Amino acid sequence: MEENGTKNKLWAFIITGALILISLMYYNANVFYMYLVAYIWFGFAYGMMLQYGRFCFASASRDLFAAGVPRMAVGILVALMFFSLIQATLASTNMSTFHPAPFGIHTLIAGLIFGVGMVLSGGCASGSLYKIGEGNMTSFLAAFFGLCIGQAVFVDVKWFDFLIPQKWVATAAAKGIPADKMTSSFDTYLAGYVWDQPTVRMSDTAAIKAALPGAAKYFIGDALLTALIPAVILLIIIYVFYTRKGFLKKRSKQKGSPANGFGDDAAGMWNMITASQRTTLMGVLIGIVAGLHILVMKGMQLRFGVDNFGRLLTKMGHTGDVSISGKVFDPGYWYITSQEGQFGAWILEKFGWNMHDNIFFGVNNGLPEPWRNPALWMSFGIIFGAMVMARLSNEFKFKMPKGELIVWGLLGGLLMGFGSRPALGCNIGAFFIRVAGGDPSGWLYGTGMVGGAFIGVKFFNWWSERKMAKEMEAF
Amino acid sequence: MNKPLAITIAIVVVIIGFLLVYSQQHGMSEQGAQGHGGAAGGYGSAPAAGGYGSAPAAGGYGSAPAAGGYGHAPAAGGYGAPSGGYGAPSGGYGH
């Protein structure tokens, strides 16, 4: 046991040391790579925090719907609340990289597909990455075949043309995109539908702008109205449905008199929030670090005078890495999935598949070599950060998937990949970041995601009962 | 908290702190890039706008940026996000 602990500590230091060395090598190669180094270390920090707090949207849904345990869901909402305040602060000082996404029914549908997928695979997009760091190979299957390969294939095939209305085809054609860059069903969907949807950010709406000039519009419009109030309402709903009864019963026993006043409920809410200090603490920290991440990325952009890392790659002569718009995927904040899709496309190109002939890679996000892909480094950082934390807590365990876990991992991963593309993000990029940034479309995605997770949990319950019944029959 | 964990957290805090300070020192790109030219030998300062295609005020894909390339995010029209992937947040085709 002791020997294992020593080995784990050694591995933790080796991984951390290797990342420091890699960072120094990047700096030595060109100072512009400091932009990429920032992604590595914020990814590393996210990984450590996610692993320590067991932060996973799939676990949150499963615990809540299957076991009635709200710990993780509460932690996520706490993180969201803190992050929204930091986002508002950054926006008010013009140091935010956040931008809202097109608002439409597609967001809800995509969230639904993603929600089912994350429950089946046993981890959301960010959760899968930190679980890979813990040695969970089911999560690796989900991330590699679903988020990487699945996503890349999804954006480049014509398989879904039968779902595309003629109107979208005509609208997309009118955009004037080169024909060799618009070949897939997803391209038509993007250019013919998504890009024409309105983007909404509360602080940008006419009513909020008129009523709240100056910085107040960010704190009240984006943070208070879009994130804080809905999050508090959700906390109250969770409290009422999952913990109130048990808490008040216990409190009545302790007091020796009925506990049914406002003070008792307030104590119950506080008890629920602080029930798992580990998760709540990580919620607060993740919110703060995600805000710092935005500040640093915006600072890097200002320092180097660019709006995208692709500009720096071009300056360094890596023109093959960038899209025809001169960019690569560079969210400027915590984001998962698009970079995994890039990694999948990069692999498929090695097998001769042309991945540059679509809007996603060819026009918008580029296909940089993995070692020059900033957002992909963030994902690697998450895996390594989680690995270090798991090693230091002696929680690292290499677990190979067996039997049906392989099927769930693959199927869930594919659904996550398919569910993240139409909404242009996952549980982080399409929900967490958007809601905290004042974009109500995040709640639309979140509603779909929770609905999908509910369906996934119910499916699993049905499957398990059916399996047990069969086993009992055989017995 | 065990000692190795405390050391690792301290390392991460120091690095992120450094990145925070580093990123807030604006207007130093020229010195930095030339000081660490590396393989490419320094690229000079990156202009806040322009250089690799400055922002066209309007127009979609195909509208000529002021100076070559595909330009920065157009203020209106065009596609390609300054960050985030799809289209332009500052107009254009959305996210």
Side-chain angles (χ1 to χ4, degrees):
Chain A
M1 190 70 183
E2 182 63 31
E3 193 186 326
N4 202 30
T6 308
K7 201 173 108 185
N8 278 333
K9 282 170 194 164
L10 188 64
W11 266 112
F13 283 127
I14 288 172
I15 294 164
T16 311
L19 284 179
I20 292 173
L21 191 64
I22 288 168
S23 303
L24 290 172
M25 285 165 70
Y26 272 124
Y27 180 69
N28 190 49
N30 196 300
V31 73
F32 290 155
Y33 281 122
M34 286 304 285
Y35 196 105
L36 183 148
V37 168
Y39 273 114
I40 296 179
W41 288 99
F42 276 99
F44 192 84
Y46 291 136
M48 288 185 78
M49 292 184 291
L50 289 169
Q51 199 283 329
Y52 184 81
R54 304 281 194 285
F55 236 78
C56 176
F57 286 62
S59 305
S61 311
R62 197 183 52 226
D63 291 354
L64 193 66
F65 296 138
V69 177
R71 177 182 63 94
M72 188 64 65
V74 170
I76 288 168
L77 290 169
V78 169
L80 185 68
M81 291 164 80
F82 269 83
F83 185 40
S84 73
L85 288 171
I86 293 167
Q87 278 257 53
T89 307
L90 293 172
S92 66
T93 53
N94 202 25
M95 286 301 284
S96 175
T97 50
F98 176 76
H99 49 88
F103 190 101
I105 190 71
H106 62 285
T107 317
L108 184 77
I109 297 167
L112 196 78
I113 298 168
F114 184 90
V116 175
M118 72 177 184
V119 170
L120 292 188
S121 71
C124 58
S126 50
S128 294
L129 293 184
Y130 96 68
K131 285 173 187 179
I132 293 173
E134 289 179 332
N136 187 328
M137 290 297 108
T138 307
S139 294
F140 174 80
L141 283 182
F144 185 78
F145 290 102
L147 295 180
C148 296
I149 304 293
Q151 262 196 103
V153 170
F154 181 75
V155 301
D156 198 54
V157 294
K158 296 173 189 289
W159 301 344
F160 308 100
D161 277 0
F162 69 97
L163 290 170
I164 306 283
Q166 192 53 40
K167 189 185 161 198
W168 293 3
V169 177
T171 311
K175 296 286 193 304
I177 296 163
D180 66 334
K181 296 290 179 198
M182 198 169 68
T183 58
S184 70
S185 312
F186 189 69
D187 291 339
T188 313
Y189 162 79
L190 272 184
Y193 169 72
V194 174
W195 290 350
D196 291 332
Q197 302 310 302
T199 57
V200 182
R201 188 178 189 183
M202 288 303 269
S203 56
D204 277 342
T205 56
I208 296 288
K209 267 186 184 170
L212 302 162
K217 64 175 179 281
Y218 300 112
F219 287 96
I220 295 176
D222 292 342
L224 184 68
L225 295 179
T226 316
L228 294 173
I229 290 177
V232 169
I233 291 171
L234 280 177
L235 284 174
I236 292 170
I237 290 171
I238 291 171
Y239 168 69
V240 169
F241 284 98
Y242 291 98
T243 68
R244 184 172 188 261
K245 199 176 164 187
F247 176 80
L248 292 183
K249 198 173 167 187
K250 202 171 152 190
R251 194 170 169 88
S252 297
K253 251 186 194 172
Q254 283 170 349
K255 280 171 68 175
S257 60
N260 50 15
F262 177 76
D264 295 312
D265 279 323
M269 282 280 287
W270 183 247
N271 180 266
M272 179 182 78
I273 290 168
T274 56
S276 173
Q277 290 181 352
R278 190 166 163 151
T279 309
T280 306
L281 175 67
M282 283 307 111
V284 173
L285 275 180
I286 285 172
I288 293 169
V289 172
L292 277 177
H293 187 188
I294 291 178
L295 180 63
V296 167
M297 296 324 300
K298 181 72 178 180
M300 290 287 184
Q301 289 177 357
L302 292 172
R303 180 175 177 126
F304 294 127
V306 294
D307 61 354
N308 183 282
F309 187 64
R311 315 290 181 205
L312 296 179
L313 283 172
T314 305
K315 289 181 183 197
M316 290 189 281
H318 304 302
T319 48
D321 286 358
V322 303
S323 69
I324 59 169
S325 58
K327 295 175 181 178
V328 293
F329 181 63
D330 172 18
Y333 41 71
W334 189 17
Y335 206 100
I336 321 273
T337 66
S338 291
Q339 59 266 42
E340 277 83 20
Q342 285 179 309
F343 188 44
W346 180 81
I347 292 169
L348 290 172
E349 284 223 323
K350 300 295 169 206
F351 287 94
W353 189 324
N354 180 10
M355 278 287 166
H356 282 84
D357 62 348
N358 59 60
I359 291 174
F360 189 72
F361 298 119
V363 176
N364 283 338
N365 297 312
L367 263 179
E369 299 291 343
W371 50 93
R372 290 196 294 263
N373 186 333
L376 185 61
W377 261 114
M378 176 164 55
S379 293
F380 287 142
I382 292 174
I383 293 172
F384 290 130
M387 195 176 283
V388 164
M389 184 55 95
R391 290 273 184 189
L392 291 174
S393 317
N394 290 326
E395 290 171 355
F396 180 85
K397 196 175 178 189
F398 197 72
K399 284 179 280 188
M400 288 300 285
K402 284 180 191 164
E404 66 182 42
L405 271 183
I406 296 173
V407 177
W408 298 137
L410 289 173
L411 185 62
L414 283 172
L415 287 174
M416 278 200 291
F418 293 175
S420 55
R421 270 318 91 225
L424 320 179
C426 59
N427 56 301
I428 300 298
F431 170 68
F432 188 74
I433 298 284
R434 280 184 202 165
V435 169
D439 178 355
S441 79
W443 284 117
L444 209 54
Y445 190 83
T447 305
M449 186 171 65
V450 171
F454 184 78
I455 294 168
V457 168
K458 292 296 164 194
F459 168 77
F460 257 139
N461 287 348
W462 169 80
W463 181 266
S464 306
E465 282 167 16
R466 182 174 163 269
K467 198 176 157 189
M468 277 176 70
K470 277 191 173 177
E471 282 172 1
M472 288 303 286
E473 260 177 41
F475 185 72
Chain B
M1 189 186 291
N2 65 48
K3 203 173 162 186
L5 179 57
I7 293 169
T8 310
I9 291 172
I11 290 170
V12 175
V13 169
V14 167
I15 292 173
I16 287 183
F18 167 76
L19 288 168
L20 183 61
V21 173
Y22 181 86
S23 67
Q24 301 310 307
Q25 293 173 332
H26 306 148
M28 297 177 72
S29 54
E30 189 172 1
Q31 291 169 12
Q34 288 176 344
H36 294 273
Y43 297 96
S45 65
Y52 280 79
S54 59
Y61 172 86
S63 70
Y70 281 87
H72 283 213
Y79 46 76
S83 57
Y86 300 92
S90 52
Y93 301 109
H95 186 96

